[in-house]
Amino acid sequence: MDRRRTDVLGIDPKVARAVDALAGFVLGGGKRLRPTFAWWGWRGAGGDPHGEDAQGVLTAIASLELIQACALVHDDLMDASSTRRGRPTVHVEFAREHAAGGWSGPPARFGAAVAILVGDLAQVWADDMFHSAALPEGAHRRAAEPWRAMRTEVLSGQYLDVLAQASGDTAEETALTIDRFKTAAYTVERPLHLGAAVAGADPQLVGAYRRYGADIGVAFQLRDDLLGVFGDPRVTGKPAGDDLREGKRTLLIAAGLQRAEQNGDRAAHEAITGALGDPEMAGPALERVRSVLSELGAVHAVEQRIAALTGSALDALDAAPVAEPGRARLFELAERATRRAW
């Protein structure tokens, strides 16, 4: 980030403000799950942490944090989220800067424009960082498939998410498809695939990684959905109930609506649909929706799905030829990704 900041200073020192915002976003927090899965995918495929290739691998997989930054900065804008990791989101930060400066035009429009550009910059620099990493001969060619697929999948999943919110699609299948491509593919499956490809893993291991990654990635998102409704802001870094206010059509919501319809419980159905997209959803109203989702069994159903996905993922990993300590760490990461505190 320091090197790239120097690059933009040669264009105009004012651009450094946007770069500083990106650097603060990337370096200021996050779970680092994507490069962590990529690293242990590489290690599990025989990568040597003390070998001459290790530093280049670290550089290549660190670029995943810039992919994540792009996705989150744009996602926050699309969802009109005000906070991320306990801090103002990028579009909010720049809108406030605009307002404080008394500049012309609407502050929100300026904030949105800057957030789009900062997210784009993260995507461009991720490509630069990945392709310039000092990897062994043939590694970039082998890694091209997961790198290309990952970016297309996350953008496709994001589009499906936006479409579901706009169209009111609350089908469970839709929610799971979004989870599979918006989150699972670029959080676990493709990072593992990337690490394995860099190491030159055989198809059997790649296949096992992808099965494990797809299931753990969806389970991770389902846990995130529960946190989005029931989570403590001190843990999540986002206001309680944010997913409801944003109108997200998650599996939790789909399961709740389906059960309300099956039970003929119109009051419960209306409580859930009324909460979706309500910017004032908080306090007693939020507690009411939480109670409804719990009483309908939707929370239990999601917990059961998380447990089943985690079990199938670990079965796939257990049957694969994964080198230690990669195997042990991937088992630990499955626990870490799916059993986060509320």
Side-chain angles (χ1 to χ4, degrees), residues 288 290-298:
R288 165 66 176 150
R290 287 171 166 174
S291 296
V292 166
L293 290 169
S294 296
E295 292 164 4
L296 287 170

Side-chain angles (χ1 to χ4, degrees), residues 41 243 301:
D243 281 2

Side-chain angles (χ1 to χ4, degrees), residues 75 152 201 264:
D75 192 53
T152 298

Side-chain angles (χ1 to χ4, degrees), residues 60-84:
I61 64 175
S63 67
L64 292 169
E65 284 297 299
L66 288 168
I67 295 286
Q68 166 74 337
C70 171
L72 292 184
V73 170
H74 286 170
D75 192 53
D76 287 341
L77 175 61
M78 286 184 277
D79 291 340
S81 298
S82 59
T83 60
R84 168 74 66 179

Side-chain angles (χ1 to χ4, degrees), residues 44-45 142 145 189-190 192-193 196-212 316 319-322:
R142 294 192 299 269
E145 178 194 347
E189 180 186 354
R190 294 301 186 181
L192 280 171
H193 188 180
V198 169
D202 63 35
Q204 180 187 0
L205 181 55
V206 169
Y209 273 171
R210 292 192 61 188
R211 287 191 296 275
Y212 164 95
V322 184

